[in-house]
mmCIF file of all heavy atoms in Angstrom:
data_model
loop_
_atom_site.group_PDB
_atom_site.id
_atom_site.type_symbol
_atom_site.label_atom_id
_atom_site.label_comp_id
_atom_site.label_asym_id
_atom_site.label_seq_id
_atom_site.Cartn_x
_atom_site.Cartn_y
_atom_site.Cartn_z
ATOM 1 N N ALA A 77 29.792 -12.528 40.037
ATOM 2 C CA ALA A 77 29.685 -13.551 38.992
ATOM 3 C C ALA A 77 28.274 -13.579 38.411
ATOM 4 O O ALA A 77 27.290 -13.404 39.120
ATOM 5 C CB ALA A 77 30.038 -14.914 39.571
ATOM 6 N N SER A 78 28.192 -13.818 37.112
ATOM 7 C CA SER A 78 26.885 -13.901 36.459
ATOM 8 C C SER A 78 26.340 -15.318 36.454
ATOM 9 O O SER A 78 25.161 -15.528 36.156
ATOM 10 C CB SER A 78 26.979 -13.382 35.020
ATOM 11 O OG SER A 78 27.936 -14.131 34.281
ATOM 12 N N SER A 79 27.187 -16.292 36.783
ATOM 13 C CA SER A 79 26.755 -17.681 36.884
ATOM 14 C C SER A 79 27.106 -18.201 38.265
ATOM 15 O O SER A 79 28.219 -17.987 38.754
ATOM 16 C CB SER A 79 27.432 -18.544 35.814
ATOM 17 O OG SER A 79 26.997 -18.165 34.517
ATOM 18 N N LEU A 80 26.161 -18.880 38.905
ATOM 19 C CA LEU A 80 26.347 -19.389 40.257
ATOM 20 C C LEU A 80 26.277 -20.909 40.246
ATOM 21 O O LEU A 80 25.508 -21.505 39.483
ATOM 22 C CB LEU A 80 25.270 -18.825 41.190
ATOM 23 C CG LEU A 80 25.124 -17.304 41.222
ATOM 24 C CD1 LEU A 80 23.973 -16.911 42.140
ATOM 25 C CD2 LEU A 80 26.421 -16.636 41.671
ATOM 26 N N ASP A 81 27.060 -21.534 41.112
ATOM 27 C CA ASP A 81 27.114 -22.988 41.201
ATOM 28 C C ASP A 81 26.068 -23.493 42.181
ATOM 29 O O ASP A 81 26.180 -23.285 43.387
ATOM 30 C CB ASP A 81 28.518 -23.416 41.648
ATOM 31 C CG ASP A 81 28.648 -24.925 41.777
ATOM 32 O OD1 ASP A 81 27.756 -25.647 41.273
ATOM 33 O OD2 ASP A 81 29.639 -25.384 42.381
ATOM 34 N N GLY A 82 25.045 -24.157 41.654
ATOM 35 C CA GLY A 82 24.021 -24.746 42.502
ATOM 36 C C GLY A 82 24.290 -26.195 42.848
ATOM 37 O O GLY A 82 23.415 -26.877 43.370
ATOM 38 N N GLY A 83 25.498 -26.648 42.587
ATOM 39 C CA GLY A 83 25.855 -28.027 42.875
ATOM 40 C C GLY A 83 25.488 -28.942 41.737
ATOM 41 O O GLY A 83 26.364 -29.496 41.057
ATOM 42 N N ASP A 84 24.210 -29.089 41.464
ATOM 43 C CA ASP A 84 23.748 -29.948 40.368
ATOM 44 C C ASP A 84 23.212 -29.133 39.202
ATOM 45 O O ASP A 84 22.704 -29.697 38.237
ATOM 46 C CB ASP A 84 22.651 -30.896 40.884
ATOM 47 C CG ASP A 84 21.421 -30.143 41.386
ATOM 48 O OD1 ASP A 84 21.511 -28.915 41.596
ATOM 49 O OD2 ASP A 84 20.369 -30.788 41.574
ATOM 50 N N ARG A 85 23.350 -27.803 39.293
ATOM 51 C CA ARG A 85 22.772 -26.956 38.245
ATOM 52 C C ARG A 85 23.414 -25.573 38.264
ATOM 53 O O ARG A 85 23.661 -25.012 39.330
ATOM 54 C CB ARG A 85 21.262 -26.842 38.465
ATOM 55 C CG ARG A 85 20.511 -26.125 37.373
ATOM 56 C CD ARG A 85 19.002 -26.233 37.602
ATOM 57 N NE ARG A 85 18.279 -25.573 36.528
ATOM 58 C CZ ARG A 85 18.024 -26.117 35.345
ATOM 59 N NH1 ARG A 85 18.446 -27.346 35.089
ATOM 60 N NH2 ARG A 85 17.360 -25.454 34.417
ATOM 61 N N GLU A 86 23.685 -25.035 37.089
ATOM 62 C CA GLU A 86 24.206 -23.677 36.981
ATOM 63 C C GLU A 86 23.036 -22.703 36.934
ATOM 64 O O GLU A 86 22.060 -22.903 36.206
ATOM 65 C CB GLU A 86 25.060 -23.534 35.719
ATOM 66 C CG GLU A 86 25.744 -22.181 35.591
ATOM 67 C CD GLU A 86 26.608 -22.091 34.341
ATOM 68 O OE1 GLU A 86 26.203 -22.661 33.311
ATOM 69 O OE2 GLU A 86 27.670 -21.449 34.402
ATOM 70 N N VAL A 87 23.139 -21.648 37.723
ATOM 71 C CA VAL A 87 22.072 -20.652 37.817
ATOM 72 C C VAL A 87 22.644 -19.297 37.423
ATOM 73 O O VAL A 87 23.786 -18.966 37.787
ATOM 74 C CB VAL A 87 21.499 -20.598 39.252
ATOM 75 C CG1 VAL A 87 20.436 -19.522 39.368
ATOM 76 C CG2 VAL A 87 20.931 -21.967 39.643
ATOM 77 N N HIS A 88 21.883 -18.514 36.686
ATOM 78 C CA HIS A 88 22.382 -17.237 36.157
ATOM 79 C C HIS A 88 21.774 -16.043 36.894
ATOM 80 O O HIS A 88 20.583 -16.049 37.227
ATOM 81 C CB HIS A 88 22.074 -17.128 34.666
ATOM 82 C CG HIS A 88 22.658 -18.242 33.857
ATOM 83 N ND1 HIS A 88 23.995 -18.319 33.542
ATOM 84 C CD2 HIS A 88 22.088 -19.358 33.333
ATOM 85 C CE1 HIS A 88 24.225 -19.408 32.840
ATOM 86 N NE2 HIS A 88 23.084 -20.066 32.709
ATOM 87 N N VAL A 89 22.600 -15.038 37.151
ATOM 88 C CA VAL A 89 22.124 -13.789 37.756
ATOM 89 C C VAL A 89 21.677 -12.870 36.630
ATOM 90 O O VAL A 89 22.485 -12.424 35.818
ATOM 91 C CB VAL A 89 23.236 -13.115 38.587
ATOM 92 C CG1 VAL A 89 22.718 -11.816 39.197
ATOM 93 C CG2 VAL A 89 23.734 -14.054 39.681
ATOM 94 N N LEU A 90 20.379 -12.572 36.579
ATOM 95 C CA LEU A 90 19.821 -11.760 35.501
ATOM 96 C C LEU A 90 19.724 -10.286 35.873
ATOM 97 O O LEU A 90 19.763 -9.422 35.005
ATOM 98 C CB LEU A 90 18.434 -12.279 35.124
ATOM 99 C CG LEU A 90 18.358 -13.758 34.712
ATOM 100 C CD1 LEU A 90 16.922 -14.119 34.337
ATOM 101 C CD2 LEU A 90 19.307 -14.056 33.559
ATOM 102 N N ALA A 91 19.574 -10.008 37.162
ATOM 103 C CA ALA A 91 19.491 -8.625 37.640
ATOM 104 C C ALA A 91 19.805 -8.620 39.124
ATOM 105 O O ALA A 91 19.587 -9.614 39.822
ATOM 106 C CB ALA A 91 18.109 -8.030 37.388
ATOM 107 N N SER A 92 20.344 -7.489 39.603
ATOM 108 C CA SER A 92 20.717 -7.392 41.014
ATOM 109 C C SER A 92 20.505 -5.963 41.488
ATOM 110 O O SER A 92 20.795 -5.005 40.759
ATOM 111 C CB SER A 92 22.185 -7.788 41.196
ATOM 112 O OG SER A 92 22.580 -7.712 42.536
ATOM 113 N N MET A 93 19.992 -5.819 42.714
ATOM 114 C CA MET A 93 19.750 -4.509 43.299
ATOM 115 C C MET A 93 20.269 -4.516 44.733
ATOM 116 O O MET A 93 20.176 -5.537 45.432
ATOM 117 C CB MET A 93 18.247 -4.199 43.270
ATOM 118 C CG MET A 93 17.864 -2.839 43.788
ATOM 119 S SD MET A 93 16.058 -2.535 43.690
ATOM 120 C CE MET A 93 15.843 -2.433 41.927
ATOM 121 N N LEU A 94 20.827 -3.389 45.170
ATOM 122 C CA LEU A 94 21.408 -3.312 46.505
ATOM 123 C C LEU A 94 20.384 -3.000 47.595
ATOM 124 O O LEU A 94 20.445 -3.552 48.690
ATOM 125 C CB LEU A 94 22.518 -2.252 46.537
ATOM 126 C CG LEU A 94 23.836 -2.624 45.860
ATOM 127 C CD1 LEU A 94 24.797 -1.444 45.911
ATOM 128 C CD2 LEU A 94 24.466 -3.838 46.532
ATOM 129 N N LEU A 95 19.447 -2.084 47.330
ATOM 130 C CA LEU A 95 18.471 -1.693 48.341
ATOM 131 C C LEU A 95 17.120 -1.465 47.675
ATOM 132 O O LEU A 95 16.939 -0.467 46.987
ATOM 133 C CB LEU A 95 18.920 -0.420 49.074
ATOM 134 C CG LEU A 95 18.087 -0.025 50.299
ATOM 135 C CD1 LEU A 95 18.207 -1.076 51.374
ATOM 136 C CD2 LEU A 95 18.547 1.329 50.838
ATOM 137 N N PRO A 96 16.170 -2.420 47.830
ATOM 138 C CA PRO A 96 16.308 -3.648 48.608
ATOM 139 C C PRO A 96 17.299 -4.601 47.956
ATOM 140 O O PRO A 96 17.602 -4.470 46.772
ATOM 141 C CB PRO A 96 14.894 -4.225 48.581
ATOM 142 C CG PRO A 96 14.330 -3.724 47.281
ATOM 143 C CD PRO A 96 14.873 -2.338 47.133
ATOM 144 N N ARG A 97 17.803 -5.551 48.754
ATOM 145 C CA ARG A 97 18.738 -6.539 48.206
ATOM 146 C C ARG A 97 17.932 -7.570 47.444
ATOM 147 O O ARG A 97 17.274 -8.429 48.025
ATOM 148 C CB ARG A 97 19.541 -7.205 49.340
ATOM 149 C CG ARG A 97 20.689 -8.069 48.793
ATOM 150 C CD ARG A 97 21.727 -7.180 48.141
ATOM 151 N NE ARG A 97 22.803 -7.948 47.515
ATOM 152 C CZ ARG A 97 22.828 -8.271 46.230
ATOM 153 N NH1 ARG A 97 21.821 -7.939 45.432
ATOM 154 N NH2 ARG A 97 23.854 -8.923 45.713
ATOM 155 N N VAL A 98 17.968 -7.462 46.122
ATOM 156 C CA VAL A 98 17.189 -8.326 45.244
ATOM 157 C C VAL A 98 18.109 -8.914 44.186
ATOM 158 O O VAL A 98 18.984 -8.215 43.658
ATOM 159 C CB VAL A 98 16.056 -7.531 44.545
ATOM 160 C CG1 VAL A 98 15.319 -8.412 43.532
ATOM 161 C CG2 VAL A 98 15.075 -6.977 45.561
ATOM 162 N N ALA A 99 17.921 -10.192 43.884
ATOM 163 C CA ALA A 99 18.638 -10.823 42.782
ATOM 164 C C ALA A 99 17.639 -11.660 41.994
ATOM 165 O O ALA A 99 16.912 -12.483 42.580
ATOM 166 C CB ALA A 99 19.780 -11.692 43.284
ATOM 167 N N VAL A 100 17.581 -11.441 40.691
ATOM 168 C CA VAL A 100 16.740 -12.245 39.815
ATOM 169 C C VAL A 100 17.603 -13.371 39.264
ATOM 170 O O VAL A 100 18.667 -13.127 38.676
ATOM 171 C CB VAL A 100 16.153 -11.399 38.673
ATOM 172 C CG1 VAL A 100 15.236 -12.259 37.798
ATOM 173 C CG2 VAL A 100 15.390 -10.202 39.234
ATOM 174 N N LEU A 101 17.161 -14.605 39.476
ATOM 175 C CA LEU A 101 17.963 -15.783 39.147
ATOM 176 C C LEU A 101 17.326 -16.541 37.982
ATOM 177 O O LEU A 101 16.150 -16.915 38.036
ATOM 178 C CB LEU A 101 18.069 -16.694 40.368
ATOM 179 C CG LEU A 101 18.620 -16.037 41.636
ATOM 180 C CD1 LEU A 101 18.554 -17.002 42.809
ATOM 181 C CD2 LEU A 101 20.054 -15.558 41.408
ATOM 182 N N GLY A 102 18.110 -16.776 36.954
ATOM 183 C CA GLY A 102 17.617 -17.484 35.784
ATOM 184 C C GLY A 102 17.927 -18.968 35.848
ATOM 185 O O GLY A 102 19.053 -19.370 36.135
ATOM 186 N N GLY A 103 16.919 -19.789 35.581
ATOM 187 C CA GLY A 103 17.133 -21.222 35.504
ATOM 188 C C GLY A 103 17.407 -21.893 36.831
ATOM 189 O O GLY A 103 18.144 -22.888 36.872
ATOM 190 N N LEU A 104 16.818 -21.398 37.907
ATOM 191 C CA LEU A 104 17.010 -22.058 39.200
ATOM 192 C C LEU A 104 16.398 -23.459 39.183
ATOM 193 O O LEU A 104 16.931 -24.392 39.792
ATOM 194 C CB LEU A 104 16.386 -21.224 40.316
ATOM 195 C CG LEU A 104 16.453 -21.802 41.726
ATOM 196 C CD1 LEU A 104 17.899 -22.045 42.164
ATOM 197 C CD2 LEU A 104 15.762 -20.896 42.731
ATOM 198 N N LEU A 105 15.279 -23.598 38.481
ATOM 199 C CA LEU A 105 14.614 -24.895 38.350
ATOM 200 C C LEU A 105 14.561 -25.302 36.882
ATOM 201 O O LEU A 105 14.466 -24.450 35.991
ATOM 202 C CB LEU A 105 13.183 -24.828 38.895
ATOM 203 C CG LEU A 105 12.981 -24.378 40.350
ATOM 204 C CD1 LEU A 105 11.493 -24.373 40.672
ATOM 205 C CD2 LEU A 105 13.736 -25.272 41.303
ATOM 206 N N SER A 106 14.578 -26.607 36.629
ATOM 207 C CA SER A 106 14.381 -27.100 35.270
ATOM 208 C C SER A 106 12.888 -27.138 34.967
ATOM 209 O O SER A 106 12.047 -27.095 35.880
ATOM 210 C CB SER A 106 14.969 -28.504 35.121
ATOM 211 O OG SER A 106 14.197 -29.448 35.864
ATOM 212 N N GLU A 107 12.529 -27.240 33.695
ATOM 213 C CA GLU A 107 11.121 -27.327 33.326
ATOM 214 C C GLU A 107 10.492 -28.584 33.918
ATOM 215 O O GLU A 107 9.337 -28.564 34.359
ATOM 216 C CB GLU A 107 10.976 -27.320 31.803
ATOM 217 C CG GLU A 107 11.387 -25.993 31.169
ATOM 218 C CD GLU A 107 11.036 -25.916 29.695
ATOM 219 O OE1 GLU A 107 10.518 -26.932 29.163
ATOM 220 O OE2 GLU A 107 11.259 -24.861 29.090
ATOM 221 N N GLU A 108 11.251 -29.682 33.948
ATOM 222 C CA GLU A 108 10.740 -30.929 34.509
ATOM 223 C C GLU A 108 10.462 -30.780 36.006
ATOM 224 O O GLU A 108 9.453 -31.295 36.516
ATOM 225 C CB GLU A 108 11.726 -32.068 34.253
ATOM 226 C CG GLU A 108 11.913 -32.457 32.806
ATOM 227 C CD GLU A 108 12.761 -31.484 32.001
ATOM 228 O OE1 GLU A 108 13.468 -30.634 32.621
ATOM 229 O OE2 GLU A 108 12.724 -31.555 30.754
ATOM 230 N N GLU A 109 11.333 -30.074 36.715
ATOM 231 C CA GLU A 109 11.126 -29.848 38.150
ATOM 232 C C GLU A 109 9.902 -28.981 38.391
ATOM 233 O O GLU A 109 9.132 -29.226 39.334
ATOM 234 C CB GLU A 109 12.370 -29.206 38.763
ATOM 235 C CG GLU A 109 13.548 -30.169 38.882
ATOM 236 C CD GLU A 109 14.836 -29.486 39.301
ATOM 237 O OE1 GLU A 109 15.007 -28.285 38.998
ATOM 238 O OE2 GLU A 109 15.677 -30.161 39.935
ATOM 239 N N CYS A 110 9.712 -27.976 37.551
ATOM 240 C CA CYS A 110 8.530 -27.112 37.686
ATOM 241 C C CYS A 110 7.248 -27.927 37.525
ATOM 242 O O CYS A 110 6.315 -27.823 38.340
ATOM 243 C CB CYS A 110 8.568 -26.004 36.641
ATOM 244 S SG CYS A 110 9.874 -24.770 36.897
ATOM 245 N N ASP A 111 7.191 -28.739 36.480
ATOM 246 C CA ASP A 111 5.997 -29.540 36.226
ATOM 247 C C ASP A 111 5.753 -30.529 37.359
ATOM 248 O O ASP A 111 4.610 -30.724 37.794
ATOM 249 C CB ASP A 111 6.140 -30.290 34.898
ATOM 250 C CG ASP A 111 6.132 -29.356 33.692
ATOM 251 O OD1 ASP A 111 5.656 -28.207 33.835
ATOM 252 O OD2 ASP A 111 6.594 -29.776 32.617
ATOM 253 N N ALA A 112 6.828 -31.163 37.843
ATOM 254 C CA ALA A 112 6.688 -32.160 38.904
ATOM 255 C C ALA A 112 6.196 -31.517 40.201
ATOM 256 O O ALA A 112 5.361 -32.097 40.921
ATOM 257 C CB ALA A 112 8.021 -32.871 39.132
ATOM 258 N N MET A 113 6.684 -30.315 40.512
ATOM 259 C CA MET A 113 6.262 -29.636 41.732
ATOM 260 C C MET A 113 4.778 -29.266 41.669
ATOM 261 O O MET A 113 4.035 -29.397 42.655
ATOM 262 C CB MET A 113 7.113 -28.386 41.958
ATOM 263 C CG MET A 113 6.825 -27.656 43.255
ATOM 264 S SD MET A 113 7.121 -28.655 44.730
ATOM 265 C CE MET A 113 8.922 -28.714 44.737
#
Side-chain angles (χ1 to χ4, degrees):
S78 58
S79 294
L80 306 177
D81 179 14
D84 62 345
R85 187 172 182 82
E86 185 179 36
V87 177
H88 302 284
V89 180
L90 304 181
S92 180
M93 183 179 291
L94 286 177
L95 189 64
R97 190 67 184 96
V98 175
V100 182
L101 305 175
L104 178 59
L105 303 179
S106 69
E107 293 189 357
E108 294 75 15
E109 288 172 332
C110 291
D111 292 340
M113 184 61 72

